[in-house]
Amino acid sequence: MTMRYISTRDDSRNSAPKNFTEILLGGLAPDGGLYLPESYPRITRAELDQWRGLSYADLAFAVLSKFIDDIPADDLKGLVDKTYTAEVYCNGRAGSKASDITPVRWLEPGLGLLELSNGPTLAFKDMAMQLLGNLFEYVLAKRGEEINILGATSGDTGSAAEYAMRGKHGVRVFMLSPHEKMSAFQRAQMYSLQDDNIYNIAVRGMFDDAQDIVKAVSNDHAFKEKYKIGAVNSINWARVVAQVVYYFKGYFSATQSNAEQVDFAVPSGNFGNICAGHIARMMGLPIARLVMATNENDVLDEFFHTGVYRPRSTAETQATSSPSMDISKASNFERFVFDLVGRDPAVIRRLWTKIDSGGSFDLSSMPCFANLPQFGFVSGKSTHADRLRTISQTFEKYGVMVDTHTADGLKVAVEQLVPDRSMVVLETALPAKFEETIIEALGRRPERPASFQGIENLPQRVEVMDVSVDAVKRYIVQHVGA
Ligand SMILES: *Cc1c(COP(=O)(O)O)cnc(C)c1O
């Protein structure tokens, strides 16, 4: 079997389909689209039966092998085994075993949390980002190349990227963050890293200023080429495919046999996490429904109810107590719409011409919209008040503390529960990351994993700068060398 990748905006008449390693280091396709496999591999019932008993690492190898055919099997196995270990993923909670990577914690029969946040930065992004770090190092070494990852973060993504790339050969990370805008915990998490290849830059401005600098540098094509600037943002295909694995793992934990179906509920922002669930379902994993939860920034909830996709302006985007879901547009959404419109790149080009020029589109009158139910999506939203109520009720009723994002997922999941089918809510972060809102909801501090005690007191390494594209470029040049 060969596996090739195409862009959502191109048909293979214009550019040849690519291999996995060819799209690994890049972001968008040259035509502005997102990469997807030419077709989704279908999993047979016999394979599902075999996969049921596998450890996380073995399951990851089985799933990823369906999507990657240009890394020798032994090498891929080595990379996966090195990534998915108890040392890396059982940071958050005491007493876990290797086999417990992403266990399901049952709140009551039929309602469980898939624990995805026991990795080094206490959020689910570690599940994929750690693999990305090892894949990058491997592919760069093979080619004798280097990459300088440039990014901007308001918290979670930057730390997940730094913990994944620290100490990796051939990789440097330049991460911009808004000076004095992140929580003390988040600052400590990033700035206390002492690795030579990690560069933290605090910009005297807001997150958007940092993001604009990254865009400006990336749009300087000569600079980008000369200094080998790359990114690890959420549209990266390898991140999406690595997330497919835990839907399989969660399904096996939640069921006795492969004849059963489950529902998954997913707190969503850029649509990367739930897009992986969609792909698992397209592969034939018996998922009945994908329950998508948004916070007050409900651009996706609106789409699933009306067929209208209307990205918001920055001014319309609210800063909420589930900040990692505060998005104005959902960058991975194009992948799902590609499937919904029958994989016609011409339709995607037409729709995203509107989006990219600041507009919106309405699919409700298109014939393909009638196909939406067959994809299993349902959606709902959750507000600050819902979040506080869910956090306190979950603590009272089950003695379990959930973070603000997971609370959004849980709130919508409970609305969508049906008898005789389990609902698995994806836990996207631990409460320790969002202390302030937990105190507001419960009047007490969340527990902190032992390895994070006193992290605020560690020495920090950060360069503070004005909002200046030139200053950031100079800094990169100085530390990369020409
Ligand atoms: C990134 C993130 C999300 C949103 O995930 P998407 O893949 O962007 O939909 C939700 N919760 C937390 C804690 C996150 O870090």
Side-chain angles (χ1 to χ4, degrees):
M1 184 206 70
T2 57
M3 176 54 77
R4 296 290 171 269
Y5 292 88
I6 53 171
S7 159
T8 51
R9 298 195 196 180
D10 197 6
D11 42 52
S12 28
R13 285 191 299 277
N14 294 332
S15 64
K18 295 191 160 59
N19 294 322
F20 179 82
T21 58
E22 289 177 286
I23 63 167
L24 173 67
L25 302 172
L28 290 175
D31 55 42
L34 276 65
Y35 289 113
L36 271 178
E38 267 181 331
S39 65
Y40 297 118
R42 291 286 301 183
I43 305 307
T44 63
R45 193 57 183 272
E47 276 173 310
L48 264 192
D49 290 343
Q50 276 170 16
W51 289 6
R52 177 167 279 275
L54 298 181
S55 69
Y56 195 95
D58 289 344
L59 183 63
F61 177 68
V63 172
L64 293 171
S65 297
K66 298 278 180 190
F67 292 93
I68 304 174
D69 62 4
D70 60 336
I71 295 178
D74 286 348
D75 290 359
L76 183 61
K77 183 79 174 68
L79 292 169
V80 164
D81 285 345
K82 173 162 120 181
T83 303
Y84 295 108
T85 66
E87 291 73 59
V88 175
Y89 285 104
C90 298
N91 209 346
R93 293 202 175 97
S96 301
K97 304 190 295 290
S99 59
D100 283 334
I101 294 174
T102 78
V104 173
R105 176 194 286 220
W106 294 102
L107 298 176
E108 59 182 62
L111 180 62
L113 296 177
L114 181 60
E115 294 187 15
L116 301 176
S117 307
N118 299 324
T121 71
L122 310 185
F124 85 97
K125 292 194 171 68
D126 291 326
M127 294 305 306
M129 202 72 93
Q130 289 284 322
L131 180 70
L132 203 65
N134 286 325
L135 283 169
F136 270 35
E137 187 176 53
Y138 171 85
V139 169
L140 290 166
K142 283 248 145 156
R143 296 190 193 156
E145 288 175 13
E146 291 188 352
I147 194 168
N148 296 303
I149 294 166
L150 177 64
T153 187
S154 54
D156 291 343
T157 309
S159 56
E162 291 187 354
Y163 279 74
M165 302 296 169
R166 61 191 294 201
K168 294 277 181 281
H169 297 289
V171 184
R172 293 184 196 85
V173 178
F174 295 89
M175 190 59 65
L176 275 53
S177 51
H179 184 46
E180 290 174 343
K181 298 292 185 302
M182 298 191 298
S183 72
F185 182 88
Q186 286 176 315
R187 283 201 300 268
Q189 243 188 337
M190 288 177 57
Y191 303 164
S192 66
L193 289 179
Q194 301 294 334
D195 305 77
D196 290 343
N197 69 329
I198 304 294
Y199 300 92
N200 283 302
I201 302 173
V203 179
R204 291 190 191 90
M206 305 298 288
F207 168 71
D208 286 325
D209 298 314
Q211 178 86 0
D212 287 345
I213 295 175
V214 171
K215 281 186 197 149
V217 175
S218 305
N219 285 336
D220 180 342
H221 296 290
F223 186 89
K224 187 176 174 192
E225 176 115 344
K226 182 163 182 201
Y227 293 99
K228 304 180 180 65
I229 303 295
V232 289
N233 45 25
S234 81
I235 52 145
N236 182 290
W237 165 252
R239 284 182 61 185
V240 175
V241 75
Q243 291 169 353
V244 171
V245 178
Y246 52 69
Y247 284 89
F248 279 84
K249 192 72 188 163
Y251 170 78
F252 292 135
S253 303
T255 54
Q256 304 292 323
S257 90
N258 296 327
E260 289 173 55
Q261 290 198 315
V262 296
D263 292 338
F264 282 100
V266 189
S268 294
N270 272 321
F271 207 75
N273 200 358
I274 201 165
C275 186
H278 161 68
I279 291 166
R281 193 172 178 278
M282 297 295 277
M283 292 169 72
L285 187 67
I287 298 174
R289 292 179 313 162
L290 291 162
V291 178
M292 195 213 53
T294 68
N295 65 15
E296 290 88 336
N297 296 295
D298 57 355
V299 42
L300 289 168
D301 184 44
E302 180 173 280
F303 172 80
F304 284 105
H305 283 109
T306 65
V308 174
Y309 180 55
R310 187 180 65 84
R312 314 295 198 242
S313 64
T314 312
E316 263 184 299
T317 308
Q318 298 182 45
T320 74
S321 47
S322 46
S324 304
M325 290 155 63
D326 290 348
I327 50 105
S328 50
K329 66 170 104 164
S331 41
N332 273 291
F333 186 52
E334 185 172 335
R335 289 192 159 109
F336 171 67
V337 177
F338 184 64
D339 288 339
L340 180 64
V341 303
R343 301 197 132 217
D344 184 343
V347 175
I348 296 295
R349 280 198 298 270
R350 188 158 51 74
L351 295 174
W352 258 268
T353 302
K354 297 181 190 172
I355 298 302
D356 290 342
S357 57
S360 61
F361 62 70
D362 180 358
L363 295 190
S364 63
S365 56
M366 278 176 68
C368 70
F369 195 64
N371 299 334
L372 188 59
Q374 85 195 31
F375 291 94
F377 279 89
V378 290
S379 84
K381 73 184 262 193
S382 165
T383 63
H384 183 68
D386 294 324
R387 211 166 287 137
L388 294 181
R389 194 177 324 109
T390 305
I391 292 169
S392 72
Q393 285 177 355
T394 307
F395 193 63
E396 274 165 33
K397 206 164 160 192
Y398 311 110
V400 174
M401 222 185 259
V402 293
D403 98 289
T404 53
H405 307 77
T406 308
D408 289 335
L410 192 52
K411 185 261 180 186
V412 176
V414 168
E415 291 168 350
Q416 295 287 347
L417 264 180
V418 292
D420 302 325
R421 192 164 65 223
S422 290
M423 172 76 75
V424 177
V425 182
L426 272 54
E427 174 212 68
T428 55
L430 290 195
K433 291 198 93 162
F434 303 96
E435 234 172 54
E436 210 175 281
T437 310
I438 300 296
I439 293 171
E440 190 181 344
L442 300 177
R444 58 188 281 177
R445 271 177 207 289
E447 267 181 38
R448 222 184 241 201
S451 51
F452 291 89
Q453 304 291 354
I455 186 178
E456 290 93 338
N457 305 325
L458 296 174
Q460 299 192 355
R461 222 173 119 242
V462 59
E463 182 83 17
V464 181
M465 268 183 215
D466 287 331
V467 178
S468 156
V469 175
D470 285 336
V472 170
K473 281 183 176 169
R474 263 198 313 275
Y475 184 83
I476 293 173
V477 172
Q478 249 169 32
H479 290 90
V480 171

